[in-house]
Amino acid sequence: VEPKYKEACVKFLVTFKNAVEEFKGLYAKHSYEESGLVLTKIQKAISLYSNHVEKGEDTLKKEYESLKVEMKRSLVQLVKEIEPIFKQEQLKEKDIESLKICIERLEAVKNSTSLQGHLMQGEVNSIYMELINLAVKCFEGIAVRIDKVLGEKKDSLAKVEGFIEEMAMIKSV
């Protein structure tokens, strides 16, 4: 019985590690709903089988917690990577496309029912709102530039058209 029990424990650890890798792969592919389902399996496996594994509950829980930390870090990084576009003199269509993709990913995580039990919704909402606030500040900055150009009067209409196009692109997000 003892060898079979140890063999079963080893199989569990292999399956657990495979589930961790599956989660990482799905999350990297932005398959948030599916990755959340795998994370739920990992969480349940810890509660059911951790007492039977030599490494114990602490090690398995640390792995689960590190996955959650990595998810949050990746969301923060997503916003950090998009921040420079808001500091540019003028936004281009490719910048708006990058912004749309970023918002879509954050919304997908935020709305993923399978991830909701693993991520603090307040943290996800905070990261999402940080991005929205950056877009709003950019939009307001363009309005200030319009006011400034209109005050100059010289070639102001052509310049304002460009600013309005930028604002329209931001609003499309």
Side-chain angles (χ1 to χ4, degrees):
V1 174
E2 180 85 17
K4 294 235 183 236
Y5 177 75
K6 284 186 178 185
E7 184 181 324
C9 290
V10 169
K11 283 183 181 179
F12 165 74
L13 284 175
V14 169
T15 304
F16 184 85
K17 288 177 184 176
N18 289 341
V20 167
E21 292 307 314
E22 180 184 6
F23 166 79
K24 289 177 180 178
L26 288 168
Y27 193 82
K29 292 177 185 173
H30 315 295
S31 299
Y32 301 119
E33 197 63 37
E34 292 87 355
S35 64
L37 294 172
V38 172
L39 202 56
T40 300
K41 286 181 193 177
I42 290 170
Q43 185 182 37
K44 286 180 181 177
I46 291 169
S47 66
L48 292 173
Y49 301 110
S50 61
N51 294 333
H52 302 282
V53 182
E54 192 173 304
K55 290 185 175 186
E57 185 175 12
D58 289 342
T59 303
L60 299 176
K61 277 189 177 178
K62 283 180 187 175
E63 182 71 35
Y64 169 74
E65 292 299 325
S66 74
L67 294 174
K68 290 177 16 179
V69 167
E70 182 57 30
M71 276 193 298
K72 181 183 174 197
R73 189 207 58 76
S74 73
L75 297 176
V76 169
Q77 186 62 33
L78 186 63
V79 173
K80 290 221 180 295
E81 288 173 2
I82 205 82
E83 276 182 37
I85 71 164
F86 296 113
K87 296 175 182 163
Q88 297 176 157
E89 185 64 32
Q90 183 176 11
L91 296 175
K92 297 176 180 50
E93 280 191 47
K94 70 177 179 76
D95 300 322
I96 297 302
E97 281 306 310
S98 296
L99 179 59
K100 282 181 181 179
I101 290 168
C102 185
I103 288 174
E104 286 170 2
R105 288 181 183 165
L106 285 170
E107 285 178 343
V109 169
K110 195 172 101 152
N111 297 329
S112 170
T113 55
S114 65
L115 282 176
Q116 288 177 0
H118 305 286
L119 287 171
M120 299 290 292
Q121 283 304 304
E123 290 176 337
V124 176
N125 287 337
S126 173
I127 295 167
Y128 178 79
M129 288 311 298
E130 179 183 342
L131 180 61
I132 297 301
N133 287 335
L134 286 170
V136 168
K137 284 180 186 175
C138 181
F139 190 86
E140 290 169 347
I142 295 169
V144 168
R145 292 190 328 218
I146 289 173
D147 286 343
K148 182 179 175 186
V149 167
L150 286 175
E152 294 172 359
K153 293 185 183 171
K154 183 179 171 184
D155 295 326
S156 62
L157 198 52
K159 290 180 181 177
V160 169
E161 278 182 352
F163 293 144
I164 291 173
E165 286 175 17
E166 277 185 76
M167 293 172 90
M169 286 192 299
I170 293 172
K171 282 178 68 175
S172 74
V173 174

